């Protein structure tokens, strides 16, 4: 057996030591994920913790035949962070309603040629609301409709933030050359 398999077996038995090992092993990646959604460190850690609690509570539902554990866990934590965003009434000010009249036609991904570290550095220069939407669309592969539904905002607002992220990133990329 490999170490992750042993840890997962311990987590299924609700062994605290196995849960701690799993948490510590994936904490840096999950922290980076949640940092795309929140600026405040407390909020980031809360999102990671909420997600990991869901992982521990539902670990029996993980099916190795359907995919890698990391992907299942990553999706669970990402969904917990999105739920936290959606449940917060104070986050509503980040999004200004935009009419869905602007044509959003872009297949370009501004991150195609960059490494993971570079992407994170550039994303952190965007405003939080724009960064969230940009990350969900370009990094996680959500559609405009899925993002709008997850964040309870209009599709036009999502399109505006995507356009804004491309414009801002173009300026950031030009400055770095």
């Amino acid at each position: 057996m490999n170490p992750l398999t042993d840890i997962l077996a311990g987590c299924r038995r609700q062994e605290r030591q196995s849960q701690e090992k799993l948490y510590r092993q994936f904490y840096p990646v999950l922290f980076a994920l949640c940092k795309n959604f929140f600026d405040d460190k407390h909020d980031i850690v809360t999102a990671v913790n909420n997600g990991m609690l869901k992982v521990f509570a539902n670990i029996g539902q993980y099916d190795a035949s359907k995919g890698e554990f990391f992907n299942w866990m990553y999706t669970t934590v990402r969904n917990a962070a999105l739920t936290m965003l959606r449940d917060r009434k104070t986050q509503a000010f980040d999004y200004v309603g935009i009419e869905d009249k602007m044509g959003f036609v872009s297949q370009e991904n501004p991150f195609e040629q960059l490494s993971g570290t570079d992407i994170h550095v550039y994303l952190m220069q965007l405003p939080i609301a724009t960064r969230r939407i940009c990350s969900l669309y370009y990094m996680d592969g959500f559609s405009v409709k899925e993002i709008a539904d997850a964040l309870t905002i209009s599709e036009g607002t999502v399109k505006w933030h995507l356009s804004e992220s491309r414009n801002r990133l173009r300026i950031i990329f030009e400055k770095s050359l």
Side-chain angles (χ1 to χ4, degrees), residues 32-92:
L33 164 68
C34 293
K35 195 170 183 178
N36 289 327
F37 300 108
F38 302 99
D39 275 334
D40 182 59
K41 185 175 180 181
H42 180 265
D43 291 337
I44 297 167
V45 172
T46 300
V48 171
N49 290 343
N50 289 348
M52 287 305 292
L53 285 173
K54 288 183 187 238
V55 167
F56 296 140
N58 298 306
I59 196 129
Q61 295 177 6
Y62 167 65
D63 182 2
S65 68
K66 293 184 180 179
E68 294 289 324
F69 173 76
F70 176 78
N71 295 336
W72 178 82
M73 179 188 58
Y74 188 92
T75 301
T76 301
V77 173
R78 183 189 61 216
N79 289 343
L82 288 172
T83 299
M84 189 172 149
L85 275 175
R86 190 175 31 245
D87 291 346
R88 283 198 170 168
K89 301 299 182 207
T90 59
Q91 294 295 324

Side-chain angles (χ1 to χ4, degrees), residues 104-168:
F104 177 74
V105 182
S106 175
Q107 298 303 323
E108 73 180 81
N109 183 339
F111 301 117
E112 277 180 325
Q113 305 299 322
L114 299 174
S115 72
T117 306
D118 292 336
I119 292 171
H120 184 69
V121 168
Y122 291 126
L123 275 177
M124 295 313 291
Q125 295 180 46
L126 297 175
I128 185 73
T130 302
R131 179 173 62 219
R132 287 174 189 148
I133 291 172
C134 181
S135 177
L136 288 169
Y137 186 80
Y138 291 113
M139 308 301 290
D140 294 326
F142 280 85
S143 70
V144 169
K145 181 173 180 15
E146 290 169 327
I147 296 169
D149 291 344
L151 298 176
T152 59
I153 57 176
S154 74
E155 289 183 32
T157 301
V158 172
K159 292 174 186 179
W160 181 86
H161 279 285
L162 290 171
S163 178
E164 182 71 8
S165 70
R166 281 193 314 280
N167 292 336
R168 287 180 180 240

